Amino acid sequence: MEFVTVRQPVRSYVIRAGRLTTAQRRALDSLWPRFGLDLGEQPVDWNRVFGRRAPRFVEVGFGNGEALLTLAEAHPERDYVGIDVHPPGVGRLLAGLALKGLENVRLFRANAVEVFGKCFVDESLDMVYVWFPDPWPKKRHQKRRLIQRDFVSLVAQKLVPGGRLHLATDWEDYADQMLETGDAVEGLLNSAGQGCFLQGRGGRPVTHFERRGERLGHAVWDLIFQKPEKAVCRRTEFQRESLEGLAQG
Protein backbone atom coordinates (compact mmCIF):
# COMPACT_ATOMS: atom_id res chain seq x y z
CA MET A 1 0.00 0.00 0.00
CA GLU A 2 1.33 3.44 -0.94
CA PHE A 3 0.94 6.27 1.55
CA VAL A 4 0.78 9.89 0.40
CA THR A 5 1.84 12.62 2.79
CA VAL A 6 -0.35 15.71 2.51
CA ARG A 7 1.46 18.87 3.54
CA GLN A 8 -0.67 21.37 5.41
CA PRO A 9 -0.22 24.97 4.23
CA VAL A 10 1.69 27.33 6.50
CA ARG A 11 -0.81 29.70 8.08
CA SER A 12 -0.08 33.41 8.26
CA TYR A 13 -1.89 33.81 11.58
CA VAL A 14 -2.35 32.37 15.04
CA ILE A 15 -5.72 32.89 16.70
CA ARG A 16 -4.75 34.54 19.96
CA ALA A 17 -6.87 34.26 23.06
CA GLY A 18 -8.25 37.77 23.22
CA ARG A 19 -10.95 38.66 25.73
CA LEU A 20 -14.38 39.13 24.23
CA THR A 21 -16.46 41.91 25.74
CA THR A 22 -20.13 41.28 26.39
CA ALA A 23 -21.04 43.53 23.45
CA GLN A 24 -18.66 41.72 21.09
CA ARG A 25 -19.99 38.31 22.12
CA ARG A 26 -23.56 39.51 21.67
CA ALA A 27 -22.70 40.87 18.21
CA LEU A 28 -21.10 37.59 17.14
CA ASP A 29 -24.13 35.62 18.31
CA SER A 30 -26.84 37.88 16.92
CA LEU A 31 -25.31 39.61 13.89
CA TRP A 32 -23.19 36.93 12.25
CA PRO A 33 -26.22 35.44 10.42
CA ARG A 34 -26.85 38.89 8.92
CA PHE A 35 -23.31 39.86 7.89
CA GLY A 36 -21.28 36.66 8.08
CA LEU A 37 -20.50 34.07 5.42
CA ASP A 38 -19.18 30.55 5.83
CA LEU A 39 -16.43 29.15 3.65
CA GLY A 40 -17.82 26.84 0.97
CA GLU A 41 -16.45 24.84 -1.91
CA GLN A 42 -18.05 26.92 -4.68
CA PRO A 43 -17.54 30.58 -5.62
CA VAL A 44 -20.00 32.95 -3.97
CA ASP A 45 -22.68 34.60 -6.10
CA TRP A 46 -21.90 38.10 -4.87
CA ASN A 47 -24.62 39.80 -6.88
CA ARG A 48 -27.14 37.61 -5.07
CA VAL A 49 -25.51 38.16 -1.65
CA PHE A 50 -25.60 41.95 -1.96
CA GLY A 51 -28.70 42.12 -4.13
CA ARG A 52 -26.97 44.23 -6.76
CA ARG A 53 -23.97 44.53 -9.08
CA ALA A 54 -21.37 46.96 -7.71
CA PRO A 55 -17.59 47.48 -7.51
CA ARG A 56 -16.19 44.88 -5.12
CA PHE A 57 -13.49 45.54 -2.54
CA VAL A 58 -11.82 43.12 -0.12
CA GLU A 59 -9.88 43.85 3.05
CA VAL A 60 -7.68 41.05 4.37
CA GLY A 61 -7.03 41.24 8.11
CA PHE A 62 -9.32 44.11 9.07
CA GLY A 63 -8.25 44.09 12.74
CA ASN A 64 -10.79 45.99 14.81
CA GLY A 65 -12.64 47.00 11.63
CA GLU A 66 -12.00 50.73 11.90
CA ALA A 67 -10.76 51.25 8.32
CA LEU A 68 -13.35 48.96 6.75
CA LEU A 69 -16.18 50.65 8.63
CA THR A 70 -14.93 54.08 7.53
CA LEU A 71 -14.72 53.04 3.87
CA ALA A 72 -18.08 51.27 3.78
CA GLU A 73 -19.84 54.27 5.29
CA ALA A 74 -18.09 56.70 2.93
CA HIS A 75 -18.80 54.61 -0.19
CA PRO A 76 -22.28 53.06 -0.10
CA GLU A 77 -21.99 52.49 -3.86
CA ARG A 78 -19.31 49.84 -3.28
CA ASP A 79 -19.58 46.34 -1.81
CA TYR A 80 -16.97 45.27 0.74
CA VAL A 81 -15.83 41.86 1.92
CA GLY A 82 -13.75 41.63 5.09
CA ILE A 83 -11.62 38.63 6.06
CA ASP A 84 -10.26 38.10 9.57
CA VAL A 85 -10.05 35.32 12.14
CA HIS A 86 -9.88 37.10 15.50
CA PRO A 87 -13.25 37.11 17.32
CA PRO A 88 -12.90 40.42 19.25
CA GLY A 89 -12.27 42.42 16.07
CA VAL A 90 -15.02 40.62 14.17
CA GLY A 91 -17.47 41.28 16.99
CA ARG A 92 -16.52 44.94 17.16
CA LEU A 93 -16.99 45.40 13.42
CA LEU A 94 -20.33 43.58 13.44
CA ALA A 95 -21.59 45.92 16.15
CA GLY A 96 -20.38 48.95 14.17
CA LEU A 97 -22.10 47.80 10.98
CA ALA A 98 -25.40 47.36 12.79
CA LEU A 99 -25.07 50.69 14.61
CA LYS A 100 -24.51 52.56 11.35
CA GLY A 101 -27.11 50.56 9.43
CA LEU A 102 -24.65 49.50 6.72
CA GLU A 103 -25.62 46.67 4.38
CA ASN A 104 -22.71 46.80 1.92
CA VAL A 105 -20.32 44.63 3.97
CA ARG A 106 -20.01 40.86 4.42
CA LEU A 107 -17.44 39.05 6.54
CA PHE A 108 -15.50 35.78 6.60
CA ARG A 109 -13.84 34.25 9.65
CA ALA A 110 -11.45 32.08 7.66
CA ASN A 111 -7.98 31.75 6.15
CA ALA A 112 -7.62 34.43 3.46
CA VAL A 113 -5.80 32.05 1.11
CA GLU A 114 -8.77 29.66 1.22
CA VAL A 115 -11.28 32.47 0.75
CA PHE A 116 -9.51 33.75 -2.36
CA GLY A 117 -9.10 30.25 -3.73
CA LYS A 118 -12.72 29.20 -3.23
CA CYS A 119 -15.02 32.21 -2.98
CA PHE A 120 -14.03 34.59 -5.79
CA VAL A 121 -13.98 33.83 -9.49
CA ASP A 122 -11.12 35.20 -11.59
CA GLU A 123 -11.32 38.86 -12.62
CA SER A 124 -14.07 39.75 -10.17
CA LEU A 125 -12.45 42.15 -7.65
CA ASP A 126 -11.77 45.86 -8.11
CA MET A 127 -9.49 46.30 -5.12
CA VAL A 128 -7.81 44.20 -2.44
CA TYR A 129 -6.40 45.79 0.72
CA VAL A 130 -3.79 44.13 2.93
CA TRP A 131 -2.92 46.75 5.52
CA PHE A 132 -0.53 46.05 8.38
CA PRO A 133 -0.53 42.25 8.21
CA ASP A 134 1.25 40.38 10.98
CA PRO A 135 4.98 41.05 10.32
CA TRP A 136 6.23 37.87 11.98
CA PRO A 137 9.50 39.66 12.83
CA LYS A 138 11.52 36.64 13.96
CA LYS A 139 13.55 35.19 11.10
CA ARG A 140 12.36 31.64 11.72
CA HIS A 141 8.71 32.76 11.50
CA GLN A 142 8.92 34.82 8.31
CA LYS A 143 7.67 31.92 6.21
CA ARG A 144 4.31 32.68 7.85
CA ARG A 145 4.09 36.14 6.32
CA LEU A 146 1.01 36.48 4.16
CA ILE A 147 2.64 38.49 1.39
CA GLN A 148 4.42 35.74 -0.50
CA ARG A 149 4.59 35.24 -4.24
CA ASP A 150 1.93 32.49 -4.36
CA PHE A 151 -0.64 34.58 -2.50
CA VAL A 152 0.02 37.75 -4.49
CA SER A 153 -0.27 35.76 -7.73
CA LEU A 154 -3.61 34.37 -6.53
CA VAL A 155 -4.87 37.86 -5.75
CA ALA A 156 -3.75 39.05 -9.19
CA GLN A 157 -5.90 36.33 -10.79
CA LYS A 158 -8.97 37.62 -8.94
CA LEU A 159 -8.51 41.28 -9.89
CA VAL A 160 -10.41 42.73 -12.80
CA PRO A 161 -8.28 44.39 -15.50
CA GLY A 162 -7.39 47.73 -13.95
CA GLY A 163 -7.95 46.35 -10.43
CA ARG A 164 -5.44 47.03 -7.68
CA LEU A 165 -3.73 45.48 -4.68
CA HIS A 166 -2.87 47.96 -1.92
CA LEU A 167 -0.31 46.89 0.70
CA ALA A 168 0.88 48.76 3.79
CA THR A 169 3.21 47.95 6.67
CA ASP A 170 5.21 49.70 9.37
CA TRP A 171 7.97 47.06 9.37
CA GLU A 172 10.77 48.08 7.01
CA ASP A 173 12.05 44.61 6.16
CA TYR A 174 8.49 43.43 5.45
CA ALA A 175 8.01 46.51 3.25
CA ASP A 176 11.08 45.49 1.28
CA GLN A 177 9.72 41.95 0.94
CA MET A 178 6.35 43.29 -0.24
CA LEU A 179 8.06 45.49 -2.82
CA GLU A 180 10.25 42.67 -4.12
CA THR A 181 7.33 40.22 -4.23
CA GLY A 182 4.89 42.52 -5.98
CA ASP A 183 7.45 43.65 -8.55
CA ALA A 184 8.23 39.99 -9.34
CA VAL A 185 4.63 38.84 -9.91
CA GLU A 186 3.70 38.64 -13.56
CA GLY A 187 0.55 40.55 -14.40
CA LEU A 188 0.98 43.35 -11.83
CA LEU A 189 2.53 46.78 -12.28
CA ASN A 190 3.87 48.93 -9.46
CA SER A 191 1.97 52.22 -9.67
CA ALA A 192 4.94 54.12 -8.22
CA GLY A 193 7.41 52.50 -10.62
CA GLN A 194 9.41 49.32 -10.18
CA GLY A 195 11.45 49.35 -6.99
CA CYS A 196 9.56 52.34 -5.56
CA PHE A 197 7.11 52.89 -2.72
CA LEU A 198 4.00 55.05 -3.01
CA GLN A 199 4.25 58.68 -1.97
CA GLY A 200 1.38 59.12 0.46
CA ARG A 201 -1.25 56.66 1.64
CA GLY A 202 -3.05 56.09 -1.66
CA GLY A 203 -6.46 56.85 -0.13
CA ARG A 204 -5.97 54.56 2.86
CA PRO A 205 -7.78 55.79 6.00
CA VAL A 206 -5.61 56.59 8.99
CA THR A 207 -6.56 54.41 11.95
CA HIS A 208 -6.04 54.79 15.68
CA PHE A 209 -3.36 52.10 15.44
CA GLU A 210 -1.42 54.10 12.85
CA ARG A 211 -1.73 57.39 14.74
CA ARG A 212 -0.27 55.71 17.80
CA GLY A 213 2.63 54.41 15.70
CA GLU A 214 3.26 57.86 14.25
CA ARG A 215 3.50 59.30 17.76
CA LEU A 216 6.16 56.68 18.47
CA GLY A 217 8.06 57.63 15.31
CA HIS A 218 7.09 54.60 13.22
CA ALA A 219 7.30 55.03 9.44
CA VAL A 220 4.72 53.45 7.12
CA TRP A 221 5.32 52.11 3.63
CA ASP A 222 2.50 51.84 1.07
CA LEU A 223 2.46 50.01 -2.24
CA ILE A 224 -0.19 49.77 -4.94
CA PHE A 225 0.10 47.17 -7.67
CA GLN A 226 -2.29 47.35 -10.61
CA LYS A 227 -3.39 44.69 -13.04
CA PRO A 228 -3.02 46.09 -16.57
CA GLU A 229 -6.19 46.68 -18.50
CA LYS A 230 -6.90 44.63 -21.57
CA ALA A 231 -6.89 46.55 -24.82
CA VAL A 232 -10.61 45.87 -25.32
CA CYS A 233 -11.59 46.72 -21.75
CA ARG A 234 -13.15 50.10 -21.02
CA ARG A 235 -12.30 51.73 -17.75
CA THR A 236 -15.08 51.92 -15.19
CA GLU A 237 -15.79 55.27 -13.56
CA PHE A 238 -14.12 53.99 -10.37
CA GLN A 239 -10.96 53.03 -12.26
CA ARG A 240 -10.77 56.41 -14.02
CA GLU A 241 -11.09 58.26 -10.71
CA SER A 242 -8.55 55.94 -9.11
CA LEU A 243 -5.92 56.50 -11.77
CA GLU A 244 -6.34 60.26 -11.55
CA GLY A 245 -5.90 60.33 -7.78
CA LEU A 246 -3.47 57.45 -7.36
CA ALA A 247 -0.35 59.42 -6.63
CA GLN A 248 -2.08 62.07 -4.53
CA GLY A 249 -2.27 59.89 -1.41
Side-chain angles (χ1 to χ4, degrees):
M1 181 181 294
E2 181 179 357
F3 292 91
V4 178
T5 301
V6 178
R7 296 183 62 187
Q8 296 298 318
V10 175
R11 293 189 182 277
S12 63
Y13 60 88
V14 171
I15 300 179
R16 299 174 178 87
R19 187 179 69 85
L20 276 172
T21 66
T22 300
Q24 290 166 352
R25 187 177 300 280
R26 185 185 306 118
L28 284 167
D29 292 340
S30 63
L31 296 174
W32 185 256
R34 176 176 165 188
F35 296 105
L37 295 170
D38 296 321
L39 190 66
E41 295 300 322
Q42 300 297 324
V44 175
D45 182 347
W46 293 104
N47 294 336
R48 181 187 62 79
V49 167
F50 286 107
R52 64 177 183 176
R53 184 185 299 273
R56 196 164 299 129
F57 292 63
V58 178
E59 184 178 7
V60 178
F62 54 76
N64 67 11
E66 182 181 355
L68 185 52
L69 195 63
T70 298
L71 289 168
E73 185 176 25
H75 296 284
E77 76 283 1
R78 302 174 182 173
D79 290 336
Y80 290 89
V81 180
I83 306 170
D84 208 303
V85 295
H86 301 293
V90 176
R92 188 177 188 274
L93 178 54
L94 287 168
L97 294 172
L99 180 66
K100 293 181 178 293
L102 299 177
E103 296 294 341
N104 60 332
V105 179
R106 295 294 184 272
L107 306 178
F108 282 103
R109 288 175 61 186
N111 183 346
V113 175
E114 293 181 275
V115 174
F116 275 88
K118 296 178 179 180
C119 300
F120 302 113
V121 299
D122 290 354
E123 298 192 350
S124 64
L125 302 177
D126 290 270
M127 174 75 89
V128 174
Y129 306 123
V130 188
W131 294 334
F132 305 102
D134 194 326
W136 293 101
K138 294 181 179 178
K139 189 74 173 178
R140 68 179 184 272
H141 291 156
Q142 289 182 3
K143 63 186 178 182
R144 292 184 176 272
R145 286 178 170 176
L146 178 63
I147 304 304
Q148 310 279 356
R149 186 162 183 166
D150 286 350
F151 178 68
V152 174
S153 296
L154 177 61
V155 171
Q157 283 181 240
K158 306 303 175 181
L159 292 173
V160 299
R164 296 180 292 156
L165 169 63
H166 187 169
L167 308 176
T169 183
D170 57 353
W171 284 79
E172 187 171 8
D173 73 311
Y174 200 3
D176 291 337
Q177 179 182 331
M178 290 176 170
L179 176 61
E180 181 180 349
T181 301
D183 278 346
V185 170
E186 186 176 355
L188 289 179
L189 298 176
N190 186 335
S191 65
Q194 189 163 13
C196 298
F197 292 98
L198 195 67
Q199 297 297 311
R201 295 190 304 274
R204 176 176 53 79
V206 180
T207 64
H208 173 75
F209 168 83
E210 186 175 351
R211 292 189 195 96
R212 183 178 63 185
E214 287 176 344
R215 289 195 296 270
L216 295 172
H218 296 176
V220 174
W221 293 266
D222 283 81
L223 290 156
I224 292 180
F225 296 97
Q226 186 163 23
K227 186 172 184 175
E229 296 188 63
K230 296 176 181 176
V232 297
C233 179
R234 294 182 178 179
R235 289 189 179 126
T236 65
E237 182 178 351
F238 162 71
Q239 290 164 352
R240 286 195 298 270
E241 291 174 353
S242 299
L243 288 171
E244 290 169 1
L246 195 58
Q248 298 177 9

